[in-house]
Amino acid sequence: MHLFRFIKSVNHEMKLVVWPTARENRRDTTIVISLTLFFVLFFALFDWLIQLLMKLFV
């Protein structure tokens, strides 16, 4: 019996959710992918520099 009440309340809450538009989804996805690529490149460069310095001093 509690399961049906739970499902009913979940359904009610889902109707209250304000879903993002397609434009907002594209914008947010672009931001996430851009930041991910930026940090991948940043840490790859940082790692390469550390390796270069380690080879010079060791």
Side-chain angles (χ1 to χ4, degrees), residues 44-58:
L45 178 64
F46 189 70
D47 182 55
W48 178 76
L49 287 172
I50 289 175
Q51 287 180 22
L52 187 66
L53 289 173
M54 293 295 286
K55 285 180 184 177
L56 288 174
F57 292 112
V58 174

Side-chain angles (χ1 to χ4, degrees), residues 23-39:
R23 184 176 183 185
E24 290 170 332
N25 273 335
R26 279 192 303 273
R27 182 199 65 205
D28 294 344
T29 302
T30 302
I31 290 170
V32 168
I33 291 172
S34 299
L35 283 173
T36 302
L37 289 174
F38 170 77
F39 280 108

